């Protein structure tokens, strides 16, 4: 993160819990051009997350 940039999690009120699930981590790199560009990757990503959980 760049110097002087505010971390989004740090800006939340103290009692707010920010969750990042395995599928959040897996889908994030593909979420660069909107839903319709990412949609074709969803089944493959979810299969990967499911196989890691098993």
């Amino acid at each position: 993160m760049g110097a002087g940039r505010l971390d989004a999690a740090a800006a939340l009120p103290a009692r707010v819990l920010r969750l990042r699930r395995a599928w959040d981590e897996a889908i994030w790199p593909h979420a660069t051009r909107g839903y319709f560009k990412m949609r074709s990757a969803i089944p493959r990503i979810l299969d990967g997350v499911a196989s890691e959980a098993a």
Side-chain angles (χ1 to χ4, degrees):
M1 189 165 22
R5 236 178 118 183
L6 180 62
D7 180 20
L12 294 172
R15 294 179 19 189
V16 172
L17 177 63
R18 187 174 183 189
L19 300 175
R20 275 186 95 154
R21 291 166 225 115
W23 59 268
D24 292 321
E25 293 288 332
I27 207 91
W28 183 254
H30 302 277
T32 59
R33 303 269 166 102
Y35 173 75
F36 293 102
K37 295 276 187 179
M38 180 188 62
R39 153 175 92 170
S40 62
I42 290 174
R44 180 174 33 87
I45 293 166
L46 293 180
D47 285 344
V49 170
S51 66
E52 290 175 9

